[in-house]
Amino acid sequence: MLAVLAVLIFFMFRNSRKRQADARELQAKVQPGAKVMTNFGVFGTILSIDEDENQVLLETSPGTVLTVHRQTVARVVEPVAADESAESVGGEPEFGERVADEHTETPSTTDETPDTKKSDD
């Protein structure tokens, strides 16, 4: 029984240290100019950080600046590099992608029949 309790306490301290390390890493990344996401899902760029008041000026769109608490910054958004190798394959289309068949004619862009709604009456 004591061994199970000791293992439980060990994992509690381990998880606490992991969370503290993650928080320190996030705070190190939070710098002016970084693109971030807040806890409530707003994306923006950090303009300045006020250490004394724990406030961050966040520009969400050109001309729109929000003042938020520093702890609401959930994560730093890093740009995703486009996977060039997937585009160069060319043999297989992506799932759900429509590909015109070379052997069949493509329908014309103008439709000669008018759009009519059929009623269920």
Side-chain angles (χ1 to χ4, degrees), residues 37-49:
M37 182 185 85
T38 62
N39 286 339
F40 41 92
V42 174
F43 289 89
T45 304
I46 295 177
L47 296 178
S48 67
I49 300 171

Side-chain angles (χ1 to χ4, degrees), residues 30-34 36 44-59 65-70 73:
V30 174
Q31 300 292 330
V36 296
T45 304
I46 295 177
L47 296 178
S48 67
I49 300 171
D50 185 6
E51 298 288 338
D52 297 332
E53 299 290 325
N54 281 331
Q55 293 180 349
V56 175
L57 290 178
L58 191 68
E59 183 177 32
V65 179
L66 302 176
T67 303
V68 296
H69 195 275
R70 185 177 180 148
V73 176

